[in-house]
Amino acid sequence: MSDTGTQAASEAGKNCTSKTKVRVVLQWVAQAQFAGYYAAKDKGYYDAECLDVTIQEGGVNIVPQQVLSSGNAEFAVSHVTKTMVTREQGADLVNIGQVFQRGAYLQVAWADSGIKTLADLKGKKVGSWGYGNELVLYAAMRGAGVDPAKDTQIIQQPFDMSLLLKREVDAAQAKTYNEYAQLLETKNPKTGQLYQPSDFTAISLQASGYTSLEDGIYSRGDWLKEQANQDTAVKFLKASYRGWAFCRDDLKGCVDTVLAHGSALGTGHQTWMLSEINKLIWPSPKGVGAMDQASWDQTIDIATKAGVLKNKPDSNAFRTDLSDRAREELKSSGMDVVGSSYTPAPVTITEGGK
């Protein structure tokens, strides 16, 4: 199914006798990490499903899983580990669609530091954001024979790359779609040119065998007990997946959509971010939003071994039937739900991400 703008979706929306109002809360402010939801709204895909969707931005003091559990949203976008912690505390939160199929964690060092592998972090100053983001890093370090508490000096890292650029840490935490780009968007004072990938060593925790599932779509188990709400969830998933497919197939158009929602980050940075986000989603071998049991198990294993989760969640912590229904409807309409031929578009790095 090829999208030709908002006309077809808007026309379909006009046939709705009424629209169901729902709210989705994001993990952070408007940026390409959430592009599929903004695209689904602006392209009329939610309207076509007779949904009136309010997208609520996240922030420093806004925790999406808490907003969801308190009944102030019907859906939330969050990481598996963070949401399962809230579930363990008594909230009936359920993963209904796992959008990101891959992890995005990097540990980045200067190329001249001698750090090439995780094992090389022994005896080094290692930057980490904390707030649960250290879980995968610590698990990967232990797997490489490095005890974070005994073998390294862990430095609290702000959500940028300033400490690495100042060489106040030997390695810094980054996401492929955000902080790593910040390095490449920075001018090297010695050359007057932008830093190049060759200036750094980027260790992928995913490639090292440590997957921790990130952005997925969650709802409340009690809310989903009603058939009407299950149907609403299927519609929300269907339109959201359609939005992500649009962002896969029209990079520039999707970036423009995100920028229209007031992103503080520039066109260059958002273009890089969306390109990298697409890599986390596409291709989706089992179909967009499908939960991979092995990735789930590894994510939970990392969290339990770290003591963040006392016990593994029960079998009701995620369900696949709603996402399956959404994908089948999209497949019936002709949409490519796998993206097997997806090829990332080249992205030009710009100073400051402008």
Side-chain angles (χ1 to χ4, degrees):
M1 178 178 65
S2 62
D3 286 297
T4 58
T6 61
Q7 183 176 359
S10 297
E11 288 298 321
K14 290 179 181 178
N15 294 328
C16 301
T17 56
S18 64
K19 292 185 180 180
T20 303
K21 292 186 177 183
V22 294
R23 299 155 294 178
V24 57
V25 58
L26 309 178
Q27 292 190 95
W28 196 243
V29 297
Q31 59 183 21
Q33 180 182 355
F34 314 110
Y37 310 104
Y38 288 112
K41 186 172 180 67
D42 285 11
K43 300 294 288 184
Y45 303 156
Y46 291 133
D47 286 335
E49 298 299 326
C50 300
L51 297 179
D52 180 1
V53 177
T54 298
I55 299 176
Q56 302 173 189
E57 293 186 10
V60 176
N61 298 316
I62 300 174
V63 181
Q65 57 270 26
Q66 292 179 357
V67 174
L68 177 62
S69 63
S70 66
N72 290 316
E74 286 67 45
F75 304 103
V77 177
S78 187
H79 291 188
V80 167
T81 299
K82 295 176 182 179
T83 311
M84 288 304 102
V85 168
T86 306
R87 179 181 173 87
E88 192 170 65
Q89 294 169 347
D92 187 12
L93 304 186
V94 182
N95 181 302
I96 61 172
Q98 185 53 45
V99 178
F100 285 14
Q101 300 282 298
R102 302 165 191 89
Y105 282 104
L106 299 175
Q107 203 66 18
V108 185
W110 290 98
D112 61 11
S113 67
I115 298 173
K116 303 297 181 185
T117 67
L118 291 168
D120 296 328
L121 294 177
K122 193 168 188 177
K124 304 295 185 180
K125 293 181 179 178
V126 178
S128 174
W129 297 313
Y131 302 103
N133 293 291
E134 75 281 3
L135 295 179
V136 190
L137 172 62
Y138 287 9
M141 289 170 66
R142 292 188 186 102
V146 180
D147 186 330
K150 298 179 181 178
D151 298 332
T152 67
Q153 182 181 352
I154 300 296
I155 305 295
Q156 180 73 41
Q157 177 186 330
F159 287 91
D160 58 37
M161 301 305 283
S162 57
L163 295 186
L164 183 67
L165 288 168
K166 296 175 185 176
R167 294 187 181 258
E168 293 178 5
V169 295
D170 298 301
Q173 202 159 32
K175 289 290 186 75
T176 57
Y177 56 79
N178 194 359
E179 291 79 14
Y180 183 62
Q182 292 176 22
L183 291 175
L184 304 181
E185 293 164 354
T186 301
K187 187 178 291 186
N188 183 342
K190 293 182 180 179
T191 66
Q193 304 297 317
L194 296 180
Y195 283 114
Q196 300 298 308
S198 58
D199 291 317
F200 305 98
T201 297
I203 304 170
S204 167
L205 303 191
Q206 168 88 10
S208 301
Y210 292 86
T211 294
S212 186
L213 292 173
E214 298 175 26
D215 293 23
I217 299 173
Y218 294 82
S219 192
R220 295 191 310 279
D222 58 343
W223 185 78
L224 290 169
K225 287 179 180 178
E226 294 187 23
Q227 184 61 49
N229 291 339
Q230 292 182 35
D231 295 340
T232 295
V234 171
K235 293 176 180 179
F236 178 80
L237 292 171
K238 180 182 176 183
S240 298
Y241 295 164
R242 192 178 172 193
W244 281 115
F246 168 75
C247 292
R248 173 194 68 197
D249 299 335
D250 188 348
L251 186 72
K252 182 182 183 302
C254 189
V255 168
D256 289 344
T257 295
V258 174
L259 292 172
H261 282 269
S263 171
L265 302 172
T267 302
H269 192 83
Q270 292 291 6
T271 302
W272 172 283
M273 183 180 289
L274 181 56
S275 179
E276 293 300 318
I277 291 293
N278 274 331
K279 294 177 188 177
L280 302 181
I281 303 172
W282 309 104
S284 293
K286 298 180 181 179
V288 60
M291 176 63 77
D292 178 70
Q293 184 69 53
S295 296
W296 170 273
D297 290 343
Q298 185 173 52
T299 301
I300 299 302
D301 186 59
I302 290 171
T304 50
K305 285 183 177 178
V308 174
L309 288 173
K310 296 178 182 177
N311 300 292
K312 295 182 179 180
D314 60 34
S315 59
N316 295 321
F318 74 85
R319 58 188 293 179
T320 60
D321 58 323
L322 305 177
S323 195
D324 290 344
R325 284 175 54 191
R327 275 194 307 278
E328 285 304 312
E329 291 184 20
L330 290 170
K331 285 171 64 177
S332 297
S333 70
M335 194 188 101
D336 177 7
V337 300
V338 174
S340 56
S341 61
Y342 168 70
T343 302
V347 175
T348 300
I349 293 291
T350 57
E351 184 177 355
K354 298 178 181 178

